[in-house]
Amino acid sequence: MSIDVEPTGRPRVLVVGGKLKLVRKARELGLDVVHAQYPDAYDRDHWPHVDQALLLDYGDMDRFLPLARALHEVYPFQSAVALFELGLLPAARINEALGLNGESVETVELLLDKWRMRQRLAEKGISPMASAVGRSAQDVRDFVKAHGLPIIVKPIRESGSVGVFRVNDEADVEAVAGRYRSLDDEQWAVGDLFSADSFDEFLMEEYLDGPEISVETLSFDGRHVVCAVTDKAAFGGGSGFVELGLSQPSRHPEETLAEVRQLVADFLDAMGLRNGPSHTEIRLTSRGPRIIESHNRIGGYGVNEMVEVSSGVDMERYTLGVRFGLVEPLTGSPEPLGGVALQALTPEPGRVVEVNGVDAVRADPAFVDLHVKVKPGDVVNPLTWNEDIGGYVIARGADATEAIAHSKRLAAAVHVRTEPVA
C-alpha cells in the first residue's frame, strides 16, 4: 500500500462504523481520523472530518485486518474505537492484532454472546436465572417443562429487540421456534444483523417480572461511573417487544438504584471491562435486580443525547477523548441537571402519504431532538420490534415527569398520515 501522508503530530484514531457525528466529534477533539465504513454509509459530509477511509464491509475480518494492518504501517493509529454494535468486535480484533489500546476480544465476545455472558455470570454467582440454548420446538418444550411459563426466546447475539419473543402459553410454545426461524426469510440489509446465521439457534430464559431500566456508564481503568439510569416505558407490539418511551433521571427509589449500581459494577468486573462506555439493561424483579444484557457501547435510540441533557456528559466525547488524554476522566457520577424523555413515533401501519408538524415541534421550547424515519412512499409495519417505530422525539423538562409529558405532547404533534397498502 502506497500512501502520501503528511504527519500532523496529532493523535490518530481508527473509527469503525457508526454515525457521522462520531467522526465529527473526533475531529473537534483534535484527532486525526481513519474511518472504516460501509461504502453506502460514507459520503461527502464525512470528508472534512476524515483523513483516510477504508470503505468495506468491516465485519469481513479476512479483508479488513490486512488492510488495516497495511494502513497502520504507513499511517499509524493509536487505537480502534467503535460505538456501533457491529463494529465492536472488529475494533477489538484490530486492537489485539496490532497491539493497540482497547478492550480485549474476550470481553467484547462475552458482552456480544448472551449465552457466554450467562455462563460467566453463573460461574460468578451474579444475577442468577435459568437459561439454555435451543434449536427446535422440542427444546422449547423441554425448557418450559423444567422452568414453567412464561419464558423469553431471543437471539444469542443480536440487539435492538429483534427476534425477542415472550412465550406465554402452550400455543406459543408450539409456534415460537417456527416464528423465530422465519426471521431468516426477512430482507435484512448489510448492517442490520450481527451474523447471517443469527437465527439458527436461540437463547431461552426465564421471564423476569418487573419494570426495565438501563444503566449508562463510563469506565476508567476499571473504575465504573454511572452517568445516568434510564427508565423504560411499558412494552407493546404483539408477539415482540417495542420500547415506546425512555426517561432520565430514574424515578425509582434510591435504595433500589444503589443496589442497581452495585450490581452493574460487579457485572462489568465479571466481564473484564476496563475502559469506555457500557449500556446495561436490567429488570427490577420481585427477587431484586437482574441483568438482561449489556454492550460495551453507548445505548442507541437517542440515549447519548438524553444523557447529555440530563447530566451534561457527552459519552461519545469521553469515549473518544479520554484514551488520548484529551478529556479528563470523571471522578464520580454527575448530578442531574433536569429531566429528559424520549417518545416513539407510532404511525398507523400502511403507506406513508405525508408527514407534517415537524417545524412546529422543532420550534417548541421543550424540544431536544427529532428523528423521523419515514417519508412519503415508505411502508409502516405493525409494531413488533424497535425497528418498526416511525422515529422518536426527545424533550426536556424540570424533572423526568415533566419531560415525559412534553415528549408525549411533541410526539403527538408529528402527524404521519398513512393509507392502506393495496
Side-chain angles (χ1 to χ4, degrees), residues 334-349:
E335 291 294 324
L337 302 176
V340 64
L342 176 151
Q343 184 66 30
L345 304 180
T346 56
E348 288 295 318

Side-chain angles (χ1 to χ4, degrees), residues 23 31 66 78 83-84 96 104 115 130 154 168 180 201 211 214-215 223 245 263 290 307 320 338 345 351 353 385 413:
V23 293
L31 294 167
Q78 282 73 55
L83 289 177
F84 175 53
E96 186 172 275
S104 70
W115 174 234
K154 65 184 184 182
N168 296 306
Y180 182 85
E201 57 186 11
S214 66
V215 182
R223 181 174 56 85
L263 173 62
R290 293 290 187 272
V307 173
L320 290 163
L345 304 180
R351 192 175 306 279
V353 176
W385 326 113

Side-chain angles (χ1 to χ4, degrees), residues 18-308:
K19 297 179 180 179
L20 171 62
K21 64 178 180 176
L22 195 59
V23 293
R24 186 181 68 243
K25 289 180 181 182
R27 176 64 93 213
E28 290 170 353
L29 281 165
L31 294 167
D32 282 353
V33 178
V34 178
H35 192 27
Q37 185 58 280
Y38 299 124
D40 61 357
Y42 187 89
D43 58 33
R44 64 186 306 122
D45 291 338
H46 291 77
W47 297 353
H49 317 294
V50 176
D51 299 283
Q52 298 289 337
L54 292 174
L55 304 182
L56 75 171
D57 176 0
Y58 47 77
D60 181 357
M61 290 304 296
D62 290 339
R63 185 175 175 219
F64 183 25
L65 180 54
L67 288 173
R69 190 189 300 276
L71 181 58
H72 179 64
E73 289 176 359
V74 295
Y75 196 64
F77 39 87
Q78 282 73 55
S79 185
V81 177
L83 289 177
F84 175 53
E85 185 83 2
L86 302 188
L88 298 174
L89 190 54
R93 286 176 171 163
I94 294 291
N95 285 328
E96 186 172 275
L98 301 182
L100 305 177
N101 228 349
E103 291 308 297
S104 70
V105 171
E106 169 72 8
T107 289
V108 176
E109 282 277 16
L110 279 169
L111 291 168
L112 287 171
D113 189 318
K114 300 176 182 66
W115 174 234
R116 289 188 61 192
M117 181 199 79
R118 285 277 166 238
Q119 292 176 301
R120 174 63 63 88
L121 290 178
E123 291 170 5
K124 300 285 187 178
I126 298 170
S127 191
M129 64 181 293
S131 61
V133 173
R135 298 180 64 92
S136 67
Q138 186 58 53
D139 292 331
V140 181
R141 293 186 202 105
D142 292 343
F143 189 81
V144 169
K145 184 176 181 181
H147 303 288
L149 288 167
I151 67 165
I152 297 295
V153 169
K154 65 184 184 182
I156 291 175
R157 295 180 80 94
E158 295 300 335
S159 63
S161 89
V162 170
V164 180
F165 295 93
R166 176 174 168 172
V167 179
N168 296 306
D169 52 36
E170 291 301 325
D172 289 340
V173 169
E174 296 305 314
V176 69
R179 292 208 303 268
Y180 182 85
R181 287 291 180 79
S182 72
L183 295 173
D184 257 338
D185 300 327
E186 298 284 342
Q187 298 299 308
W188 304 105
V190 174
D192 285 343
L193 298 178
F194 185 88
S195 172
D197 62 359
S198 284
F199 303 115
D200 287 354
E201 57 186 11
F202 45 81
L203 185 63
M204 300 172 291
E205 297 179 335
E206 65 175 284
Y207 176 72
L208 300 175
D209 63 344
E212 183 174 335
I213 61 173
S214 66
V215 182
E216 327 306 337
T217 57
L218 287 167
S219 297
F220 307 94
D221 196 24
R223 181 174 56 85
H224 312 299
V225 177
V226 175
C227 298
V229 177
T230 307
D231 290 346
K232 299 190 179 187
F235 290 90
S239 60
F241 288 95
V242 184
E243 293 176 358
L244 298 177
L246 309 174
S247 64
Q248 298 170 1
S250 176
R251 297 185 291 176
H252 289 289
E254 174 54 33
E255 181 181 2
T256 299
L257 296 178
E259 192 175 358
V260 165
R261 288 190 289 268
Q262 185 61 57
L263 173 62
V264 169
D266 293 342
F267 168 78
L268 295 177
D269 285 345
M271 297 298 107
L273 187 76
R274 300 288 299 168
N275 291 286
S278 59
H279 169 73
T280 305
E281 297 169 358
I282 290 174
R283 282 270 184 169
L284 303 177
T285 79
S286 55
R287 295 177 293 152
R290 293 290 187 272
I291 300 288
I292 300 173
E293 59 188 61
S294 186
H295 315 270
N296 66 310
R297 58 166 173 77
I298 298 162
Y301 207 24
V303 166
N304 188 64
E305 289 78 5
M306 293 178 66
V307 173
E308 192 167 3

